[in-house]
Amino acid sequence: MEKFLSLTAVAVPLPMINVDTDIIIPARALKTTARDGLGTLAFHALRFDGEGNAREVCVFNQARYRGAGILIAGANFGCGSSREHAAWALRDMGVRCVIAPSFADIFASNCVKNGLLCVTLPQATVDALARLAAEGNTAGGLFTVDLERQCITTPDGGVVPFAVDAAKRGKLMAGLDDIGATLARAGEIEAFEQRRGRAEPWRASARLDVV
Amino acid sequence: MKTLYDKLWDRHVVWADGAEALLYIDLHLVHEVTSPQAFAGLRGAGRPVRAPSRTLAVPDHNVPTTPDRSHAIKDAEGRRQLEALAANCREFGVPYIPMDDMRQGIVHVIGPELGATMPGMTIVCGDSHTSTHGAFGALAFGIGTSEVEHVLATQCLPMRKSLNMAVIAEDPLPPGLTAKDLALAVTAKVGAAGGVGHVIEYRGAAFTGLSMEGRMTVCNMAIEAGARAGLMAPDETTFAYVHGRAGAPRGADFDRAVEDWRSLATDAGAAYDKEVVLTAADLAPQVTWGTSPEDALPITGRVPDPDSFADPDKRAAAKASLDYMGLTPGTPLNGIVIDKVFLGSCTNGRIEDLRAAAAVLRGRKIAAGVGMLVVPGSGQVKAAAEREGLDAVFRAAGAEWREPGCSMCLGMNPDVLKPGERCAATSNRNFVGRQGPGGRTHLVSPAMAAAAALTGRLTDVRKFTQVHEWKNS
Ligand code: SF4
């Protein structure tokens, strides 16, 4: 997994609440057996009308936000399905950081696994950042999200600190394969299985392999 | 003093360091859409599946539901995904139910049906509606594909514990109302984000009075209120359902298991971080008007005016929703003209759901121009319905009787709405484009779906006399 230390990029504002994973990546894109190439269908329903014409009003179709690495979103971003394709699609579009007042649980864990940083900030702060992103980009306004220092530097030089779960921060900064870390605990996992077998002997006649 | 969630959590902690814990997973359900990249990851790292016997795979999301599916799946991408699942299960030794097996169905329908789902377990699946299995007093939640790979490789997940939340309705559900109405009312009351960071336990007579099918409907929609999982304490209803199923312990072991499962219930006096109280007696059949499951109202209500929302974000969301849904503020919900009806999904694709809809349709014809799709949740549900003659009721009414799968719940297979089409659906999500690009979804119960099919409009099912014929489901 790619490390996340610091990112300097254009920020695109999407001030909608409850942006669900079906909006981020529609189900018809889930037939892939790969992780890449999903960016073209990302936010499809927002970007195109029923006839397939690009909507000019959609921020993702505006030249000034092209290549944005940061998405500034509304509350409960990523709600709905568990599809990791949502995180993959954002990565494929070039987004590596989402800033919002709140995130859906499964989406947030999927992001960590893909080197995508979710920054949770109060509504008023997110609104202010979204305004800056909407106004400031003409001057080539870039935001810097620094995970090491846990702060965002805005195009006008302002500094916004943020809090982030220590374990998540560690994983993102190290770009760790956490499966390897769990496998290193194989002894503890086996001990747990044995302990559990003794505590719940009735499991002996329960069959998990029902097929 | 511990809650049900605390107890389930504690029982499965392999290792913990402060808030971070490694949680043991008892059962891992796998389907074709969220698993190929996970198997590819294992292969790339040269890792085996740690506990194949704790893993169960079935295709459901993109399987066609037409009877000709056993001969040919026309969609090449969908076919490739099904073939990949079969090949991956063969390679890694994972138990696999093929599409043409009579036990095939939606993962969240077949787990309980086969007795793979039991109280006291931890259950995961690369699917957010894994919360369904919480109806058994199992800690069950959806995970992403990287986590699918993690569980395949280690049978564990590194996690942080969620907060405890109780949703309480002490009074019983009025006659003619169903678990789906309750689930929608809860979603509206808690809000789509109200449960974020929490696990919801449903408490009180409105919930405990439900059958297992009804409880599954309620827990299924916990995720729509943002919760990581939904839970109900296992009781006699639960034990009776589990008893005798293929995966369940047998004989004296079953009695010992029941004794153990009883101890899972929340201790008297245990505290929740958040509580939401509901009065079931006040409820009417529910229907959604917008593009978030929290947009549910009684069928007796009207399409809301976006300006009536104090919160500017909600106002903007409501405006966008009405635009997409093609609805005008003030329009009575009862009477909105629909084109399609979808009966099925892991929310409402079980036998009781089919019975409830058939009770309304029996001896009647669906409205001209309305297309109704009935998709049983599994092969076993389908067979049970056919034994009871429900398929004949649906066919006689003019509905299509299909093979089991997710179908029009998410429109990954050919069952999709056309742009602008309006559908009364028993599934769980009315998101923009969920049932097909441009499709408009109104979430309802199976009985309400049947009523809508008969009149061609969203309709208060209580106007049909058969209300007494179905149990709360
Ligand atoms: S029926 Fe719908 S909600 Fe349930 S698992 Fe299938 S796609 Fe997901």
Side-chain angles (χ1 to χ4, degrees), chain B residues 360-368 370 372 392-399 450-456 464:
Chain B
V360 177
L361 292 177
R362 186 165 279 128
R364 297 191 163 106
K365 286 247 176 259
I366 63 179
V370 172
M372 180 175 186
V393 174
F394 291 122
R395 283 206 179 96
L454 289 177
T455 61
F464 292 95

Side-chain angles (χ1 to χ4, degrees), chain A residues 15-18 20-23 26-35 38 44-46 50 74-76 79-85 88 101-106 109-110 113-114 123 127 165-168 171 177-183 185-186 188-190 192-193 195-196 199-211, chain B residues 11-15 20 22 24 26-27 33-34 36-37 47 50 53-54 56 62 75 77-78 81 84 95-97 103 114 116 118 120-121 126-128 142-147 149-150 153-154 156 158 160 192-193 196-198 223 226 228 246-250 253 256-257 260-261 292 294 313-314 317 410 412 429 431-432 434 437:
Chain A
M16 288 166 69
I17 55 167
N18 296 332
D20 57 65
T21 48
D22 282 67
I23 296 183
R28 59 188 184 282
L30 310 190
K31 291 186 183 168
T32 175
T33 51
R35 288 177 197 245
L38 289 160
H44 196 271
L46 296 181
N76 201 24
C79 63
S81 136
S82 66
R83 58 187 73 159
E84 197 160 319
H85 307 68
W88 299 334
S102 61
F103 292 91
D105 295 335
I106 308 177
S109 13
N110 285 342
K113 310 277 182 190
N114 290 281
Q123 180 78 55
D127 289 346
D165 178 89
K168 276 189 183 173
K171 279 178 192 166
D177 163 23
D178 57 354
I179 296 181
T182 299
L183 283 173
R185 301 196 175 276
E188 280 150 286
I189 299 171
E190 262 157 50
F192 174 90
E193 283 171 332
R195 211 161 56 231
R196 191 105 177 294
E200 298 172 7
W202 51 266
R203 281 185 188 278
S205 70
R207 287 180 49 224
L208 277 161
D209 52 339
V210 287
V211 289
Chain B
R11 279 184 178 207
H12 292 88
V13 172
V14 171
W15 168 88
E20 271 278 299
L22 191 62
Y24 193 79
D26 291 323
L27 176 65
V33 175
T34 54
Q37 296 87 348
R47 289 169 175 150
R50 187 174 192 282
S53 69
R54 291 188 175 275
L56 178 59
N62 73 30
D75 171 41
E77 281 181 297
Q81 226 168 33
Y96 166 71
I97 303 178
R103 293 165 302 180
L114 294 168
M118 279 188 284
M121 282 183 150
D127 188 281
S128 59
I143 56 177
T145 297
S146 294
E147 290 172 319
E149 184 180 339
H150 203 122
T154 69
C156 293
R160 304 188 125 235
V196 169
H198 292 76
I223 182 75
R228 193 74 209 249
R250 286 158 209 290
D253 274 351
R256 251 176 290 170
D260 180 37
W261 294 340
S292 167
E294 72 177 7
D313 287 329
K314 286 245 157 94
L410 91 164
M412 267 194 85
R429 285 183 179 146
F431 294 163
V432 167
R434 171 81 177 179

